[in-house]
Every structure is written in C-alpha cells, then in structure tokens.
Amino acid sequence: MEVGFLGLGIMGKAMSMNLLKNGFKVTVWNRTLSKCDEVVAHGASVGETPAEVVKKCNITIAILSDPAAALSVVFDKDGVLDQIGSGKGYIDMSTVDPETSCKISEAIALKGGHFLEAPVSGSKQPAETGQLVILAAGDKALYEEAVPAFDVLGKKSFFLGPVGNGAKMKLVVNMIMGSVMNAFSEGLILAERSGLNRHSLLDVLDLGGIANPMFRGKGPEMLKDNYSPAFPLKHQQKDMRLALALGDQNAVSMPVAAAANEAFKKARSMGLGDLDFSAVFETVKLLKHSS
C-alpha cells in the first residue's frame, strides 16, 4: 500500500517512519524539504509539492501545526486541490476546529475526492511506538480503506460519524488534558510550599484513583526542569483556544479551561511556546517566586 504524507514535524516524522517500518511505500512532503532527509534515508520518496504527492498516491495523510497550515496545504498553489479527484482520498490528522475540517471536506468533495478527518490523541512517544488513538470522522469507505495504516499508527481507531466530530472529540480531550496539567502543576508547588516532598506526592498520586500516564511520565521530568517537547506548549494553547470557541458555540461555561488557557498564554509570553506543554509549570513557579 502506498500513501502520501504531508508534514514531518514531531508527530509526522514518527508516524511516517512507522509506516515505512511496516512495509508501506511512503511519499513525503514538508514545507522545509530538508526535514524529509531522515525518512528518505529509511526508504521514503519525496514530493516537491503537496499536489505532486497527491498525484502519486491514492491516499494522502497530513498532520500539520494549526488550522492555517491545514488550509494552506489544501488551497494554496500546488496544493492538495490541484490533484485530488475521483478515486483519491485525503486524511487530515491535524488538530483543527470543526469549521476548518468542514471547509476542506467540502472543497475535496467538489473535486470528486474523499475526505476523512482523523486527529490523534497522543504525543511523541505514542507516535513513535504506534500507540496513538485515532479519532476519525467523514467518509466511511475511506476510513475502512485506511484501517491498515491506522492499525500501524495507533492502538485504537474510532469512527465518529460526520466530518467535524473528530475535531470536536480531539478538542474536548486536549481541553481536559491542558486543564489537568495546570492543576497538577499547582499541586506540585502547593506540596513543596507546604513542606512536603514532591517525589512523595508523585508516588501517592500513582497509587490512587487519579493515577495516569501523564503524571507518571511528565512529573519526574517537570521536577528536573526538563521540558523536551513531546507536545509543544504553543499547540496546547492553540487547542485550548479552539476548545473554548467550541464552548462558546454551544453555550457551555468553561471557567476551569479558561483559566488554564490564560496560564498557557502566560507561558507563551515567557518564551516557552516551543517547549513541552508541561512547561506551564514554570508559570506557577514564577508566581511562587513573586509572592
């Protein structure tokens, strides 16, 4: 099976490498073409433009940084729309708002192509180990055709119905994740200022009802001030913003998420946007030092 892959950031690089390791033929494109070199060394081909990739492959996957990038790859000159058509499918695994997914879906349908949104839950390590959770919505036949690739990329894929539902599910998941990370950060500081051992707190949390892989994986690194990016903070803040907009559309009051978003915005203003989203911990530490 041959697939195209657009976008070789932290996630895209790991995902395309997994496809190659599992016997898929992969043609890749990235806005900075030099980022293709490593996957090419492992057997991938390179397309000079998104259109060239779509022309060559019946199924093309994209995972891009934000709605603007997702729209650009589709609608710009030499973009996906230049070559999409009957018999070709486009799968956008980026985290975007439902409106962006619907706009892309409508444009591809007008060209006779098939569209699936399929954002993923998981960051760098799950992408590298094929343990993502795939939240697909849109063309059911394209979903079925893509299942062999999804089985390589993830531990579970869900088909959630019409276009927009995948984006909504991903925003809800990331809104919860970002809010919990802020509460976790505050808890670490509260433990320290109360005279408790922060490592003991991690041990207690790991044995209780709220034990989870995020605390287990991020906590020890946060205590070492290690924020090597698995999921960049700037993308987490973007997802909080989009989730809050979804709340506005549905008249859902979200004061906890709104407060968490402000913390991520503060972290971005401190120059932490390219670090892991757990670097929001630094905003709480800053408040401690200024008090």
Side-chain angles (χ1 to χ4, degrees):
M1 183 177 182
E2 183 165 4
V3 298
F5 209 103
L6 311 179
L8 296 179
I10 291 173
M11 299 295 288
K13 175 185 167 185
M15 293 162 71
S16 58
M17 291 283 279
N18 261 344
L19 291 171
L20 287 165
K21 290 173 186 175
N22 283 274
F24 286 79
K25 294 180 180 179
V26 182
T27 298
V28 298
W29 171 87
N30 193 76
R31 200 173 301 277
T32 304
L33 283 175
S34 61
K35 287 192 175 182
C36 299
D37 292 347
E38 186 174 349
V39 289
V40 169
H42 284 81
S45 303
V46 176
E48 294 291 325
T49 65
E52 186 176 315
V53 175
V54 172
K55 182 178 181 180
K56 183 179 179 184
C57 305
N58 285 338
I59 293 180
T60 298
I61 295 169
I63 185 159
L64 303 155
S65 60
D66 56 27
L71 291 167
S72 173
V73 161
V74 173
F75 290 96
D76 284 0
K77 185 179 183 296
D78 296 321
V80 170
L81 283 186
D82 284 5
Q83 291 294 333
I84 201 77
S86 179
K88 291 188 178 290
Y90 183 63
I91 303 173
D92 191 352
M93 304 185 82
S94 316
T95 299
V96 299
D97 54 283
E99 292 76 16
T100 295
S101 279
C102 289
K103 184 174 182 179
I104 293 171
S105 176
E106 290 165 4
I108 285 175
L110 286 173
K111 289 275 193 170
H114 304 277
F115 177 73
L116 192 72
E117 60 172 356
V120 297
S121 181
S123 56
K124 182 180 179 182
Q125 186 176 7
E128 291 173 340
T129 56
Q131 293 294 298
L132 297 167
V133 178
I134 298 166
L135 309 172
D139 190 300
K140 184 66 180 292
L142 179 55
Y143 172 78
E144 299 291 350
E145 190 178 354
V147 162
F150 288 165
D151 286 346
V152 166
L153 299 174
K155 60 184 176 181
K156 176 73 174 178
S157 62
F158 292 86
F159 183 77
L160 301 173
V163 171
N165 283 358
K168 292 172 186 175
M169 183 69 80
K170 177 61 191 296
L171 293 178
V172 171
V173 168
N174 276 19
M175 178 272 293
I176 294 170
M177 182 173 74
S179 299
V180 170
M181 177 54 77
N182 272 274
F184 183 47
S185 298
E186 291 177 1
L188 289 171
I189 292 296
L190 179 59
E192 180 185 39
R193 295 198 68 180
S194 301
L196 299 172
N197 183 296
R198 297 180 300 172
H199 292 279
S200 295
L201 172 61
L202 295 182
D203 291 339
V204 171
L205 289 172
D206 200 41
L207 292 170
I210 59 170
N212 66 73
M214 185 173 78
F215 291 175
R216 194 175 304 123
K218 301 292 186 187
E221 299 306 311
M222 291 163 69
L223 297 188
K224 294 187 289 187
D225 298 331
N226 180 10
Y227 307 115
S228 178
F231 180 43
L233 186 145
K234 62 186 178 184
H235 296 331
Q236 175 66 67
Q237 193 272 313
K238 175 261 298 182
D239 294 347
M240 298 300 291
R241 172 174 56 81
L242 295 177
L244 287 166
L246 185 64
D248 286 346
Q249 293 166 16
N250 291 278
V252 176
S253 176
M254 296 162 60
V256 174
N261 185 47
E262 290 303 314
F264 285 115
K265 285 162 62 177
K266 175 65 175 178
R268 286 185 63 194
S269 76
M270 293 166 60
L272 305 177
D274 289 326
L275 299 181
D276 190 73
F277 80 107
S278 56
V280 74
F281 186 38
E282 293 296 316
T283 68
V284 188
K285 289 162 70 174
L286 181 70
L287 290 173
K288 181 193 83 166
H289 292 312
S290 64
S291 63

